[in-house]
Amino acid sequence: MNRVITLNEFIIEKQKDFPYSSGELTGLLSDIGVAAKIVNREVNKAGLVNILGATENSNIQGETQQKLDVYANHQFVSAFRSGAEVAAIASEEEEDICVYQNEISRDAKYVVAFDPLDGSSNIDVNVSIGTIFSIYRRVTKGVCTREDFLQKGMYQVAAGYVIYGSSTMLVFTTGNGVNGFTLDPSIGEFCLSHPNLKTPENGSIYSINEGHYNDLPEGIKQYLNWCKESNKADNRPYSARYIGSMVADFHRNLIKGGVFIYPQTAHSPNGKLRLLYECNPMAFIAEQAGGKASTGKQRVLELQPTALHQRVPIIIGSKNMVEKVEQMLEQFSPVSTL
Ligand code: P6P
């Protein structure tokens, strides 16, 4: 029986492949693993301690902060501060960037944009939730500014997510493929369980909130109708699977094949999901796993961000499925009407 490979063993072994390979990224990825284990512990017992439910506060998005949102945010902010490989962070739970003032962090090479607990409205109903992170090298000198975060997704050094589900997994890429690690609670280690993860080019799962159907672009409506037609040759009708937690929907589609769509709607003209800490990291992973990520008009990773909490439409998952959606958008909702 093969011996397990822990996250730290893997990171150290692969360190030579890391872009600008240096110990800092190794330490940073390891710090994320530790913070994820701490958050996982609270997520798993959330029903037993007074950490369910909402606070009286709202985040910059105007969304009510769940107690676990705040807890998870604190754990990752602290982990990045003490690790000293990160000069500043941008978080879904923070209005602006948080620059670490301690001496060592001031000269750190990296910045991290993250969503500490994505899908947190599902916490109280025991549905899988997740953490999403995106790592860049700084581009400014001196004190970090937003410019360090407003980089195109193609310049990410690493990106990943933790899914707190039936098991807890850490999935990440440093630009050399995607690897998945499953937490073994008996030893408290993330162990390599999905080496060199590739997503199927085709799938038969589509994930979208069809409650928005009447507000969707015509091309998306036509695609959904196409998914529901019977055609044995390409396994239609497809199955609709939508959890309302991007990390969980993305992860299922990554493994099984499928497409996740959160387009612009009348209510959300730029879509709902945030470019910096949801769409870009997931797009990096999708492409590294052989999939695709598009706004419907262009490759997500080529977008020039203009604001920390900027929202963009996203169509992400199996390559051929994303291309089918793009083709129907082109046919029924040409760019001029999007
Ligand atoms: P809707 C969770 O709030 C989230 O940001 C993503 O995790 C999820 O995919 C999406 O919003 C769900 O949005 O409008 O379908 O409830």
Side-chain angles (χ1 to χ4, degrees), residues 30-257:
S30 178
D31 292 343
I32 289 172
V34 172
K37 285 190 270 191
I38 295 171
V39 170
N40 176 66
R41 184 186 59 199
E42 291 309 300
V43 166
N44 282 347
K45 66 182 186 182
L48 299 173
V49 295
N50 179 26
I51 199 163
L52 279 176
T55 65
E56 280 81 51
N57 313 319
S58 299
N59 61 19
I60 172 71
Q61 336 284 338
E63 295 163 347
T64 303
Q65 284 185 313
Q66 303 296 318
K67 291 177 185 171
L68 260 181
D69 275 337
V70 175
Y71 177 84
N73 189 55
H74 173 75
Q75 290 306 322
F76 282 96
V77 168
S78 306
F80 294 139
R81 178 188 299 112
S82 55
E85 298 96 1
V86 175
I89 59 105
S91 165
E92 188 204 31
E93 302 303 330
E94 305 286 348
E95 182 167 355
D96 204 345
I97 66 171
C98 302
V99 181
Y100 293 129
Q101 300 298 342
N102 62 70
E103 195 131 337
I104 306 172
S105 302
R106 252 205 300 275
D107 302 327
K109 284 182 184 169
Y110 299 110
V111 295
V112 184
F114 67 104
D115 184 351
L117 212 55
D118 178 71
S120 52
S121 56
N122 287 311
I123 291 170
D124 294 4
V125 293
N126 214 13
V127 167
S128 299
I129 49 184
T131 299
I132 312 171
F133 60 90
S134 169
I135 302 171
Y136 288 94
R137 276 174 72 82
R138 290 193 55 183
V139 291
T140 65
K141 298 291 179 214
V143 178
C144 267
T145 69
R146 288 188 197 157
E147 189 186 345
D148 290 303
F149 293 87
L150 301 180
Q151 300 182 53
K152 291 182 180 180
M154 66 173 77
Y155 299 123
Q156 291 174 97
V157 169
Y161 61 86
V162 182
I163 178 167
Y164 309 100
S166 50
S167 61
T168 297
M169 278 191 70
L170 170 63
V171 178
F172 75 90
T173 181
T174 59
N176 287 291
V178 177
N179 290 283
F181 299 79
T182 300
L183 182 64
D184 179 343
S186 68
I187 59 173
E189 292 283 0
F190 279 105
C191 301
L192 183 62
S193 54
H194 297 68
N196 194 26
L197 238 170
K198 291 296 177 192
T199 193
E201 285 205 338
N202 288 302
S204 50
I205 293 172
Y206 67 97
S207 308
I208 187 170
N209 182 340
E210 291 204 61
H212 301 310
Y213 184 84
N214 295 331
D215 288 342
L216 295 175
E218 186 56 29
I220 300 291
K221 288 181 181 177
Q222 292 295 327
Y223 176 71
L224 297 179
N225 298 337
W226 180 83
C227 289
K228 294 167 182 168
E229 291 169 357
S230 290
N231 182 320
K232 284 203 181 339
D234 60 8
N235 215 11
R236 284 182 290 149
Y238 290 161
S239 296
R241 293 287 183 273
Y242 190 75
I243 299 177
S245 181
M246 184 192 196
V247 173
D249 281 316
F250 177 85
H251 182 73
R252 179 202 54 244
N253 293 356
L254 182 74
I255 304 287
K256 294 192 165 194

